[in-house]
Amino acid sequence: MNLPPTIADTFISLAAFLGLIVLIRAIRSFDAGSPQTRRFLFGLRVLAVLMVSRVLAWWTGFFVFEAATIIAAGLVPLAAVLVAEALMRRHAPPLTKWIAGGGAASFAVLAFLPDALFGPWLLIGLFLYQLLTLALAGHMAVTRDRKSLSRAENQAVDRIALSLLLILPLLITDFRSTHVDFPVRLGGVAILFLCWLLISLGQRTVSHRDTVVSFVILTAVSLIAALAIVLEAGFDTAALIRTASVVTSAALVAVIWKDSLSLRMEQRRQSLIRHLAEDRIDDTMGFLKELQIHPMVEGALLLEETDLADLDLTSLKTLLSARPLLRASETSALSEAEIEQLAWLFEKYEATHVMLVSKKPFRLIALNMPSVSATPGAETELKVVQRMALLISERTHDRHP
């Protein structure tokens, strides 16, 4: 773990690249077509190019990767202003636009000129340009008209403004010179924190305080782990900083990936609600067949009266009229005959749930939902779907008796 600066910087930059890719995929899965999303994706892709191009420049020394790094770094402030405009639904001041656009164009040209012409002045100019433009974008966020934006929009602006508080102090560590030589570049850590803040926007129950507290806890645990490693191996302070940065970056990538999976699972869990909101409700069979392809109840069986001929239909109809959604484990207040029939029904179709979806004609749906996925929310959604299916069947029956 006594990492040389290049290896530590490489790990952190690649971790930031992975975090950005995860965030890009998460955003695209929800809405990739809106103008606001396109600006977000542009900014995230610029950061991703910056992270990977500078790693390639460090390890290969090729001029094309060095130029790509300067160009991407010059585009970061412009992307920040574009995202700020989209979030606040208003144009940036003309001076801010000129600074952002002019700086990006200037560094796109300067990136291809020999280092001998500018030396360290190019990096100093880039740093001042980034600092000034990001500060102007932050000023736009602070001075915005909160009443003109929705709660969700204000929350998004607040999360990004919060990340800028971390990004700006850490920005200086990405610029090296003979006078400034930090043990590790921390810009990648700031980008990972930005990714975490943005991906947490999809979790409406997570507040700013929850996110900040989680970040503080994660950082503290990473520092303690790094300190234990350094003390065990007898490393110096620089090694402690590099080790802590690597451990924190790895932990942030893991958290971002986990949160993206949570968003994906939430999206799948909402599929039944979307089925009610979007699919056809004028045809019972059409509704039920479309229901069967949804991930949550994929493979559910539609049972007609002929499929239930070996059961006591009269008793079964009476039971399901009173309890239209039954679980295999739900046998309280049932007679022995009813328990025996249900046990045979669940065993025959390898089902965990049976629900009544039509009385005339009598139809059931049998599905298998393992206990590990049968959350209270899923159970409630099944009840909603069952009631909707029954109402559609009654409506269809009344229309075509």
Side-chain angles (χ1 to χ4, degrees):
M1 293 297 293
N2 189 8
L3 302 174
T6 302
I7 297 178
D9 289 338
T10 298
F11 184 93
I12 294 171
S13 296
L14 292 179
F17 175 75
L18 290 176
L20 289 164
I21 295 301
V22 171
L23 178 59
I24 289 170
R25 290 183 59 189
I27 292 176
R28 289 185 61 184
S29 67
F30 287 101
D31 179 20
S34 70
Q36 186 182 74
T37 303
R38 287 199 297 268
R39 292 194 179 199
F40 258 109
L41 292 176
F42 170 72
L44 296 176
R45 286 166 180 157
V46 167
L47 288 174
V49 171
L50 173 62
M51 292 297 104
V52 75
S53 63
R54 73 180 188 175
V55 170
L56 292 172
W58 293 336
W59 287 93
T60 66
F62 290 166
F63 176 74
V64 64
F65 296 130
E66 294 177 355
T69 301
I70 296 297
I71 293 172
L75 285 172
V76 168
L78 176 61
V81 172
L82 292 175
V83 169
E85 286 185 327
L87 282 173
M88 287 170 277
R89 291 189 277 113
R90 67 181 179 91
H91 290 289
L95 179 60
T96 301
K97 288 186 175 183
W98 276 106
I99 293 174
S106 299
F107 284 103
V109 174
L110 295 174
F112 293 97
L113 298 180
D115 288 342
L117 292 178
F118 296 97
W121 293 107
L122 179 63
L123 290 181
I124 294 174
L126 180 60
F127 169 71
L128 293 176
Y129 161 62
Q130 288 186 342
L131 185 64
L132 174 61
T133 312
L134 291 177
L136 291 172
H139 182 263
M140 287 178 60
V142 172
T143 59
R144 71 185 185 277
D145 181 9
R146 300 183 69 93
K147 295 181 180 179
S148 65
L149 302 178
S150 67
R151 179 179 179 182
E153 289 172 323
N154 277 312
Q155 187 179 43
V157 175
D158 288 339
R159 294 276 174 98
I160 294 177
L162 182 62
S163 68
L164 285 177
L165 293 177
L166 181 67
I167 289 174
L168 291 177
L170 297 182
L171 185 64
I172 193 173
T173 66
D174 279 15
F175 293 85
R176 302 296 178 85
S177 70
T178 56
H179 303 288
V180 179
D181 187 19
F182 290 93
V184 66
R185 292 174 172 85
L186 297 176
V189 178
I191 289 174
L192 285 169
F193 181 57
L194 171 64
C195 293
W196 190 10
L197 284 174
L198 290 179
I199 208 165
S200 66
L201 286 172
Q203 301 170 311
R204 297 300 183 189
T205 58
V206 179
S207 65
H208 297 315
R209 183 177 181 275
D210 294 334
T211 303
V212 173
V213 169
S214 298
F215 178 74
V216 171
I217 293 173
L218 184 146
T219 304
V221 171
S222 300
L223 289 174
I224 293 171
L227 182 62
I229 295 171
V230 169
L231 291 177
E232 181 71 21
F235 297 151
D236 58 13
T237 303
L240 169 62
I241 295 174
R242 291 196 293 269
T243 303
S245 301
V246 167
V247 173
T248 303
S249 299
L252 281 170
V253 170
V255 171
I256 291 167
W257 175 253
K258 176 184 174 297
D259 285 352
S260 73
L261 290 180
S262 298
L263 289 178
R264 198 175 305 169
M265 293 303 295
E266 178 68 15
Q267 191 177 18
R268 291 175 182 173
R269 195 181 71 83
Q270 293 296 327
S271 61
L272 287 181
I273 300 299
R274 287 199 303 273
H275 176 66
L276 299 179
E278 299 172 3
D279 290 344
R280 58 194 305 175
I281 60 171
D282 58 346
D283 175 42
T284 304
M285 291 303 297
F287 178 83
L288 295 176
K289 287 180 179 178
E290 290 171 356
L291 173 65
Q292 288 176 291
I293 67 175
H294 283 270
M296 193 172 174
V297 292
E298 188 175 2
L301 298 175
L302 179 62
L303 306 178
E304 305 280 355
E305 286 196 28
T306 54
D307 301 312
L308 306 169
D310 53 346
L311 297 171
D312 183 355
L313 282 179
T314 303
S315 174
L316 191 62
K317 288 178 180 178
T318 302
L319 174 60
L320 286 167
S321 294
R323 303 172 70 170
L325 178 62
L326 284 171
R327 295 191 297 270
S329 59
E330 192 177 50
T331 57
S332 60
L334 298 181
S335 65
E336 290 187 9
E338 290 172 333
I339 293 174
E340 184 178 349
Q341 282 210 79
L342 287 177
W344 169 243
L345 178 62
F346 286 121
E347 182 180 353
K348 181 179 180 179
Y349 295 104
E350 298 181 348
T352 59
H353 292 71
V354 170
M355 58 184 180
L356 175 67
V357 293
S358 175
K359 292 182 178 180
K360 296 180 181 180
F362 186 66
R363 293 191 180 103
L364 305 178
I365 278 186
L367 59 98
N368 191 308
M369 183 185 294
S371 58
V372 293
S373 61
T375 62
E379 293 281 340
T380 301
E381 289 169 3
L382 281 181
K383 291 179 181 178
V384 172
V385 169
Q386 184 276 324
R387 288 195 175 189
M388 178 63 75
L390 195 59
L391 287 172
I392 293 173
S393 68
E394 292 175 352
R395 175 186 177 187
T396 305
H397 178 71
D398 293 341
R399 188 186 304 169
H400 305 290

